[in-house]
Amino acid sequence: MRKFMRFPPRTSRFRLLLILAGALMLLAAFAPTANADLIRFYDFEGADTPPYPVGLQSNIPALETGATTTMFLDNGTPGVPYPVANTTQEAGIALNVPPGALPNLTALGIHRSGQSNLGLEIPMPSSQGIYDVTSVSFAYDANGNGHSTVQLQMSTDGGLSFSTNLSGVIALPATPGTVVTILVPSGTTLNINNLALRLLFTGGRSNGNDLQLRLDNIQIGGTIVPEPATVAGGLLGVLGLCWFQRKRLIHSVGFRKA
C-alpha cells in the first residue's frame, strides 16, 4: 500500500499565498519603525487661534495635525497665558520648512519681551503610541533685545508643571535667519500618557513696542512606536487568522490510499 498527497487546487494555493502575504503586511504595520518622522509641525499658518493673531495648531505634513495639537502660550508660568498684546502676526521665515508644508507666509512676532518669559507648551497625549522624540527645531529671527535663551522642558502631568529639562539653557544667536536644533538625549523614550513639551524663552531685554523676535516652523521629530497592548492585539489577530486558515489547509490537503 502506498500513500501520496493530493495537493489543493491552484486557486486554493493562490488564496493561501495571499493570506500569508496579508499576515506579513499586518505584522509589518505593527512593527516599530526606526525611521525618523515629523510628528508635529507648527508654522503659525491657517486660521488664527483666538485670542492670538496666528494659528497654533500643528499642520501638514506632520503625522499629527488638528485641534488636539493646539499649542498654548504661557508667560513663563505653566498654564498662565502669555499677553496677547505682546504678539503679532509677522512675515514667515523661509527656514526649517519641510517638503509638503503650506506656503510660508506667517510667523509669530514677540514684542515687550522684558515683561515676561515666553513658554510654548505643546501637548502630546499618547493616543497613538509611545513618543520617541529625538529633536525639536525652529526658525528664529532676532531683531534686537528679545529673549536671549531657550530651554526644552517636559511635563508628565499634561502641562501643570515642567519639572524635567530635556536640554540645558541654550543661548540664542543674535543674528537674523537662524535655525535652532535641540537634540533630545539618546534613549529618552517619552512613554507618558499626559506628556507635554515646552520651549521656554527667557532673558527678554526690552519693554518697547518694537518687534524683537520672530519664531516660525517648529518641528518635532522622532517616531511614534505602537503601544505594547496595540502590538499584542495585532499579533494575536495575525495568529488567529493563521490558525483559522491552518484548519482550511488541513481540510484542503487530503491523503488517499492507492
Side-chain angles (χ1 to χ4, degrees):
M1 304 295 290
R2 192 174 49 172
K3 294 181 179 179
F4 64 91
M5 184 167 54
R6 183 179 65 210
F7 290 97
R10 183 174 298 178
T11 55
S12 297
R13 280 179 281 169
F14 181 70
R15 183 170 61 248
L16 292 172
L17 287 174
L18 287 178
I19 292 168
L20 178 59
L24 292 175
M25 290 176 64
L26 185 58
L27 281 172
F30 281 103
T33 176
N35 298 324
D37 294 312
L38 178 58
I39 300 174
R40 299 280 185 88
F41 178 55
Y42 295 89
D43 56 358
F44 304 108
E45 306 292 345
D48 295 349
T49 302
Y52 295 100
V54 296
L56 298 179
Q57 296 181 3
S58 174
N59 289 316
I60 59 172
L63 293 177
E64 296 184 338
T65 61
T68 58
T69 67
T70 303
M71 181 191 302
F72 180 80
L73 307 186
D74 71 45
N75 71 345
T77 301
V80 179
Y82 188 77
V84 176
N86 292 359
T87 64
T88 54
Q89 182 183 110
E90 301 295 334
I93 304 173
L95 294 171
N96 211 39
V97 182
L102 296 169
N104 185 234
L105 304 177
T106 305
L108 172 65
I110 300 298
H111 307 250
R112 295 177 287 275
S113 61
Q115 290 185 357
S116 62
N117 294 328
L118 169 65
L120 307 185
E121 298 182 18
I122 302 172
M124 301 191 68
S126 179
S127 58
Q128 293 193 38
I130 302 169
Y131 290 100
D132 187 4
V133 176
T134 56
S135 66
V136 177
S137 61
F138 58 90
Y140 167 82
D141 182 15
N143 292 325
N145 296 324
H147 297 296
S148 59
T149 61
V150 66
Q151 186 172 33
L152 179 62
Q153 301 176 325
M154 180 180 78
S155 170
T156 60
D157 54 18
L160 296 178
S161 62
F162 290 86
S163 56
T164 301
N165 295 325
L166 295 178
S167 77
V169 177
I170 300 170
L172 292 171
T175 56
T178 302
V179 175
V180 176
T181 300
I182 303 173
L183 299 179
V184 176
S186 178
T188 305
T189 300
L190 306 182
N191 181 13
I192 302 162
N193 288 331
N194 292 319
L195 172 66
L197 301 176
R198 178 167 77 157
L199 286 168
L200 178 62
F201 293 85
T202 57
R205 294 159 290 176
S206 174
N207 290 324
N209 193 41
D210 58 308
L211 177 64
Q212 290 143 29
L213 62 92
R214 289 185 296 158
L215 297 172
D216 204 0
N217 303 323
I218 302 169
Q219 294 192 31
I220 299 178
T223 56
I224 304 175
V225 182
E227 293 186 8
T230 304
V231 175
L235 293 177
L236 287 175
V238 171
L239 291 175
L241 177 63
C242 293
W243 180 257
F244 175 74
Q245 295 304 327
R246 172 182 173 275
K247 292 182 179 181
R248 297 186 62 181
L249 178 60
I250 291 173
H251 285 300
S252 64
V253 178
F255 293 91
R256 62 183 177 87
K257 295 180 180 181

